[in-house]
Amino acid sequence: MLDVGAAGGAGGDDTDLGVFVDRLAAGGSDRATALAHSHITATIAAGAAPPGLRRLAEALAASVTELPPPRRASDDPLPLVEAMRGTALAVLEAADPGVVATAVGDLVADGRRVIVTAADPAALSAVRDRLPEPTAGRSLDRIPALPPADLRELRRLLATSTPARRARGDQDLPADPALPPAAEVAELCERARRPAPALPDGTATVPDLLDGLDPARRAAVVEVAGAVTRALAAMPDRDTHPWAWRLLAELVHAMPRSTADDLLADACPAVDALARLRTAAPVAVAGPLPAGALDALRRYREFLDSGGRSRSYFRSPVQREVQPVLARTTVDGRHPETAADIGRLIEHLEIAARLTRVDARCGDLGLPA
């Protein structure tokens, strides 16, 4: 004999009530029964047996012994709406369609969504006919076909009106314009169902590696991959500039970067200077210049910028040093005399020196200068 009296009382404890639930659950093997059994068992273990469960057990026991079930103050029935606010299970004492309809109307008025099922369609019709207003006008006998906009709105209500909405209070659903069109979603779903294309040789492990990364590192890998893709897209045509792709392969795999870095350090400023000085005064060099010509020119420009004067007689040491360079060069058809002429000559010789180094380094790398 099971004692399913008040929990903690002299007449019994929750252990026998749990045994009673186990015996009831043994009569079914479907998933719903298993989930209900697990939920009710956990509720009993927490010390809050579902309303009506103890009375149901006592009534079944009394029907066997033909004794009326004892009345206990601790198990007096609560109003249905109040009881359902604290539990997901309640047992109605009557199965009359009018009682069920009234209970459904009270629960709907309390802000809940209720699904009524029955093995007999006639029983459902009887409950539906007795639903109070305005519940009757808000009830459906089947889920209608909804357009995408209404379906999104229904999902919005579902996400914000569940019992767990307090835990999702900070969740913001995107506005309708931010959502992709339904046709695009259908196309992506269809693409996802297609067999995956064969991966190129050597890349079969990439998806597995990316799946194993945490989101921050995976985002960094994606950012680097995007930068590489953009850089490759900016490369010149492979057919007309094969040397560029050969140089790229050597930089990636084998060649020391210092040579290429030195080449860029000279080539880029030389190209920029040539473009900037395309309309400047032309410079001509009549013969080989003495060693240290650039340094002599820089010292002579500093001499002129500081107030020094070019003289025909009694020349300064700086002027005598630079005279062999000036005698072999012309700026705009005349020998340079002013500080501007000396500056133009220095620019010309600096570009020439850079281009000479570029030519030598291109030879080292096997590239056309």
Side-chain angles (χ1 to χ4, degrees):
M1 175 65 68
L2 298 177
D3 188 348
V4 292
D13 54 29
D14 286 342
T15 302
D16 287 338
L17 189 60
V19 175
F20 169 72
V21 173
D22 293 340
R23 293 180 179 177
L24 284 181
S29 59
D30 58 297
R31 184 172 180 270
T33 301
L35 292 175
H37 174 248
S38 176
H39 174 74
I40 297 173
T41 302
T43 304
I44 294 174
L53 180 61
R54 196 181 306 279
R55 293 191 58 194
L56 174 63
E58 293 171 346
L60 290 177
S63 66
V64 176
T65 60
E66 297 183 357
L67 295 175
R71 298 293 298 174
R72 307 180 190 277
S74 61
D75 203 30
D76 287 340
L78 295 173
L80 178 64
V81 172
E82 183 179 348
M84 294 303 294
R85 289 173 181 170
T87 182
L89 173 68
V91 180
L92 298 179
E93 292 184 341
D96 180 79
V99 176
V100 176
T102 301
V104 171
D106 293 342
L107 293 174
V108 172
D110 193 48
R112 299 176 181 274
R113 298 186 299 276
V114 183
I115 299 177
V116 182
T117 63
D120 183 9
L124 289 177
S125 299
V127 173
R128 182 181 177 84
D129 294 340
R130 289 170 175 77
L131 288 175
E133 293 293 342
T135 304
R138 298 164 58 186
S139 64
L140 300 172
D141 56 358
R142 64 179 58 85
I143 299 297
L146 298 176
D150 293 343
L151 187 60
R152 285 196 296 269
E153 185 63 24
L154 184 60
R155 287 171 177 164
R156 187 192 306 274
L157 294 174
L158 180 65
T160 56
S161 300
T162 60
R165 64 181 176 182
R166 293 181 182 177
R168 306 172 66 178
D170 296 333
Q171 179 181 5
D172 292 330
L173 295 178
D176 289 346
L179 296 173
E184 181 180 350
V185 174
E187 180 183 355
L188 293 175
C189 293
E190 179 63 24
R191 187 183 304 174
R193 285 192 292 267
R194 298 172 188 167
L199 296 176
D201 294 339
T203 61
T205 60
V206 172
D208 294 335
L209 291 176
L210 293 178
D211 288 341
L213 295 178
D214 60 82
R217 296 187 65 185
R218 184 164 53 245
V221 172
V222 171
E223 182 179 358
V224 172
V228 172
T229 301
R230 291 189 294 271
L232 291 176
M235 288 284 290
D237 183 70
R238 189 186 296 269
D239 295 332
T240 57
H241 299 82
W243 62 267
W245 292 88
R246 186 175 68 254
L247 174 62
L248 176 63
E250 292 178 353
L251 287 173
V252 171
H253 296 291
M255 191 187 71
R257 295 191 58 89
S258 59
T259 306
D261 291 340
D262 293 340
L263 174 62
L264 287 176
D266 282 323
C268 293
V271 171
D272 293 340
L274 288 173
R276 176 171 50 85
L277 301 174
R278 192 175 302 276
T279 58
V283 176
V285 179
L289 299 179
L294 262 175
D295 293 336
L297 286 170
R298 294 189 183 105
R299 286 192 291 270
Y300 186 52
R301 181 175 59 181
E302 293 175 359
F303 169 75
L304 295 178
D305 290 340
S306 62
R309 297 178 60 186
S310 176
R311 298 177 180 179
S312 300
Y313 301 97
F314 305 107
R315 295 170 178 166
S316 65
V318 176
Q319 186 178 359
R320 290 197 300 270
E321 178 189 24
V322 80
Q323 195 60 37
V325 180
L326 301 181
R328 291 178 172 84
T329 57
T330 60
V331 176
D332 201 14
R334 64 181 183 279
H335 292 294
E337 297 177 356
T338 64
D341 292 341
I342 301 302
R344 176 70 185 93
L345 180 57
I346 290 175
E347 288 179 334
H348 177 82
L349 295 180
E350 286 178 342
I351 295 175
R354 286 186 183 275
L355 293 178
T356 300
R357 292 194 296 270
V358 168
D359 185 75
R361 292 189 174 113
C362 286
D364 294 339
L365 298 175
L367 303 177

